[in-house]
């Protein structure tokens, strides 16, 4: 349920990682000095990211999984964190060990935005909210239906 300290340390050819469901903890310096690591997919079961997990990696942006189970991030090198609109609860100080310049990315009016404000973090509204996505999907469905009517 965890990846041990320094497990992938100095794997310079590692560029992309897809972590398996069931993983709960990324320990200390798991991807230390993985200088080419640019993309990582976190499982919905992940609860904790340990100190310096991504230290020395090219990765500085992490997209949190939709589950909302993550309770602690101790990775100082992260500067950008994307929080999906479906996440409605984040423990206070979960980003306390991150860089002082951390920016939370999310949907305007989302829990991520209120969390950022409450915790004095930067926020960038660059994701569509769930209601915006639903509205766009409905409009697309109606538009395709009208196009089908005209074709008849």
């Amino acid at each position: 349920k965890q990846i041990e300290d320094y497990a992938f340390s100095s794997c310079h050819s590692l560029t992309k990682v897809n972590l398996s469901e069931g993983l709960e903890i990324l320990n200390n310096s798991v991807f230390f000095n993985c200088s080419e690591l640019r993309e990582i997919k976190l499982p919905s079961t992940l609860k904790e990211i340990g100190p310096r997990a991504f230290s020395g990696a090219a990765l500085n942006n992490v997209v949190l999984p939709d589950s909302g189970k993550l309770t602690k991030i101790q990775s100082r090198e992260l500067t950008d964190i994307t929080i999906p609109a479906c996440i409605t609860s984040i423990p206070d100080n979960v980003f306390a060990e991150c860089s002082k310049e951390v920016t939370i990315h999310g949907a305007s009016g989302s829990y991520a935005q209120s969390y950022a404000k409450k915790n004095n973090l930067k926020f960038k509204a660059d994701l569509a909210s769930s209601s915006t996505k639903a509205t766009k999907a409905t409009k697309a469905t109606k538009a395709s239906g009208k196009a089908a009517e005209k074709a008849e």
Side-chain angles (χ1 to χ4, degrees), residues 44-61:
S44 63
T45 53
L46 189 65
K47 294 179 182 176
E48 184 176 330
I49 296 176
R52 297 171 303 283
F54 307 112
S55 182
L59 180 72
N60 64 5
N61 181 7

Side-chain angles (χ1 to χ4, degrees), residues 79 90-96 98-104 111-124:
T79 57
I90 302 170
D92 285 336
N93 299 317
V94 73
F95 304 115
C98 291
S99 166
K100 301 264 189 241
E101 298 298 318
V102 70
T103 299
I104 293 179
Y111 178 78
Q113 185 174 18
S114 61
Y115 180 88
K117 183 176 181 180
K118 177 183 171 187
N119 290 277
N120 297 315
L121 298 168
K122 292 179 185 178
F123 179 80
K124 187 171 181 184

Side-chain angles (χ1 to χ4, degrees), residues 11-31:
C11 289
H12 299 292
S13 60
L14 194 61
T15 59
K16 182 178 178 180
V17 174
N18 186 3
L19 298 171
S20 299
E21 289 297 319
L23 178 67
E24 294 180 356
I25 300 170
L26 283 180
N27 280 312
N28 181 39
S29 304
V30 172
F31 296 103

Side-chain angles (χ1 to χ4, degrees), residues 4 17 19 28 33 48 71 73 82 88 113 142 150 152:
E4 296 302 324
V17 174
L19 298 171
N28 181 39
N33 204 23
E48 184 176 330
T71 59
I73 297 177
T82 301
T88 57
Q113 185 174 18
K142 286 180 182 177
K150 287 183 181 179
E152 293 175 357

